[in-house]
Amino acid sequence: MSQNKTAFVFPGQGSQKIGMLLAAHAAYPEVRDTFAEAAEVLGYDVWALVQGDDQDALNLTETTQPVLLTSSVALWRAWNAQGGATPDIMAGHSLGEFSALVCAGALSFTDAVDLVRQRGRFMQTAVPVGEGAMAAVIGLDDDTINKLCAETDGVVAAVNFNSPGQVVIAGHSAAVDAAGEALKTAGARKVMPLAVSAPFHTELMKPAGERLAEAIAGVAINTPAVPVVHNVHARTESDPEKIRALLVEQIYSPVQWTRCVQTMLDAGVGAAVECGPGKVLTGLARRIDKSLLCYAIEEPADLAEAVEALGEHQCEGA
C-alpha cells in the first residue's frame, strides 16, 4: 500500500508547559481568537495562565485539559488559515481525543472546552489525593506487564500503551509501588513515578465516567468529517451515539496508543502532524515506526515547513 496519507495527532496531559504557543500567539490571529473564545467559556484568562509563572496551577487536571484542547484547536485553525492540507485521519491521546473530535467537526469547540473542564474535575475527585498513582515502565513487553499487574494485590493495571517498551501503569499507590518492584525484578529498565494526582484510565475512574456520561448527554455530537481513531479500541467510528459512549468508556479504559498509530499506518498513513504543544507524540510515533514522517507544529516556522512538505507529500501520492 502506498503510504501517502496524512494523520493529525493531538497530545494529552503532560504536554502543557508555561510559555507554550508564545510565538504562534504572536504570529496567528486564529490562535489569539481561540484563546479569547476559551476565556469566554471558562470565565478566566486562559492565555494569562499559560504565560504566567504558576506551573502548579497549569498542572491542575481541570485546568490542564481545557488549556491543552484550546492549544490544539488554535494550532489547527492556524494550520487551515495557512493553507495546510486536510488530513485523511486523526487521533488524540486521552484528552487529545476530544481535540481530534473538535477539529474533525464532531464537537463544537465551546461545548468541548467546558466538557473537558468537567472531565478534569471528575477525574481529579474520583479518587482522594494520595490514594492513586501512575508510573511509566520502560523496557518491558506488554504481556509481562499485564501478567505482573494481575498478580499484584490491589488495583493496578497497564493503562497507557504508548509505544513498544513504554507502558504506563496506574492504580492504588501501594499496588503501583508493589507492581513497580516486581517489574524491575522482571527486567524493566526503569519504573518512573509520574507527577499526576489520580490513577487515570483505571477502573477507579468509573465514578468519573458516570458523571461524564451525565455531562455529555446533552452535548451535540456529529459524524466526524475526518475519521478519528478512538483510544478504547483503535478503530474509527462514524455513529455519534457510539462516539458519545466511547468518550465515557475511555475515561476508565486503557489508552491503546500503539494500536491507534498502527491503525493509521495500516490505512496508508506516511506522515503525521502533532497538533499541540511539544513533541511527545512525535517521539512515540518514531518508536512505533521509524519510517513515519513526523512534524510538530507549535512553532510558526515548523508549521510553515509542514504545510509545504505535506502539500507535496499528498501531491506525490495523487
Side-chain angles (χ1 to χ4, degrees):
M1 178 187 291
S2 175
Q3 301 296 118
N4 66 305
K5 292 183 179 178
T6 300
F8 259 57
V9 293
F10 299 85
Q13 284 189 234
S15 290
Q16 72 278 4
K17 60 184 182 293
I18 291 293
M20 64 188 186
L21 267 71
L22 181 61
H25 189 272
Y28 305 122
E30 297 79 20
V31 173
R32 298 191 291 274
D33 291 347
T34 303
F35 274 87
E37 192 178 348
E40 284 190 24
V41 174
L42 298 172
Y44 60 85
D45 190 333
V46 183
W47 183 247
L49 174 68
V50 169
Q51 301 306 315
D53 58 6
D54 192 343
Q55 185 71 47
D56 290 340
L58 183 60
N59 286 348
L60 286 171
T61 299
E62 70 176 83
T63 305
T64 305
Q65 296 202 16
V67 163
L68 283 173
L69 182 135
T70 300
S71 300
S72 286
V73 173
L75 288 170
W76 166 253
R77 290 173 173 176
W79 170 269
N80 285 304
Q82 296 302 305
T86 301
D88 300 284
I89 197 166
M90 295 178 172
H93 191 288
S94 189
L95 161 77
E97 190 165 297
F98 287 81
S99 304
L101 288 165
V102 171
C103 297
L107 282 170
S108 78
F109 174 60
T110 51
D111 281 346
V113 79
D114 182 56
L115 190 62
V116 300
R117 170 174 55 181
Q118 295 183 72
R119 178 181 184 266
R121 188 179 299 147
F122 300 155
M123 292 171 79
Q124 186 63 65
T125 57
V127 177
V129 173
E131 289 190 12
M134 300 181 78
V137 182
I138 309 298
L140 207 60
D141 65 278
D142 295 357
D143 289 344
T144 300
I145 294 170
N146 285 330
K147 178 175 181 292
L148 291 175
C149 284
E151 293 172 357
T152 301
D153 289 337
V155 175
V156 60
V159 295
N160 291 354
F161 295 92
N162 286 334
S163 68
Q166 187 188 126
V167 173
V168 174
I169 63 172
H172 284 135
S173 298
V176 170
D177 290 344
E181 291 303 316
L183 292 165
K184 284 188 276 191
T185 301
R189 288 205 309 275
K190 289 182 182 178
V191 178
M192 301 180 295
L194 299 182
V196 297
S197 52
F200 303 141
H201 299 292
T202 66
E203 63 183 70
L204 300 174
M205 287 290 113
K206 284 200 171 176
E210 291 169 3
R211 295 178 71 187
L212 182 65
E214 293 176 7
I216 205 172
V219 173
I221 299 179
N222 306 309
T223 298
V226 177
V228 174
V229 182
H230 292 273
N231 290 181
V232 170
H233 55 27
R235 299 192 301 272
T236 59
E237 182 55 67
S238 60
D239 182 338
E241 292 312 308
K242 289 182 179 177
I243 292 171
R244 194 186 308 276
L246 284 166
L247 289 175
V248 172
E249 189 178 348
Q250 186 227 53
I251 210 168
Y252 54 79
S253 301
V255 174
Q256 301 287 350
W257 189 249
T258 301
R259 287 174 53 201
C260 287
V261 173
Q262 192 58 55
T263 294
M264 293 187 285
L265 289 164
D266 291 346
V269 166
V273 175
E274 182 164 4
C275 189
K279 300 180 179 180
V280 170
L281 299 184
T282 295
L284 295 180
R286 287 175 176 152
R287 289 173 62 94
I288 294 167
D289 190 319
K290 289 182 172 61
S291 71
L292 193 61
L293 297 172
C294 297
Y295 302 87
I297 62 168
E298 180 181 356
E299 298 299 324
D302 295 333
L303 188 148
E305 179 186 342
V307 167
E308 183 176 356
L310 293 183
E312 294 170 356
H313 176 78
Q314 290 195 329
C315 287
E316 288 169 2

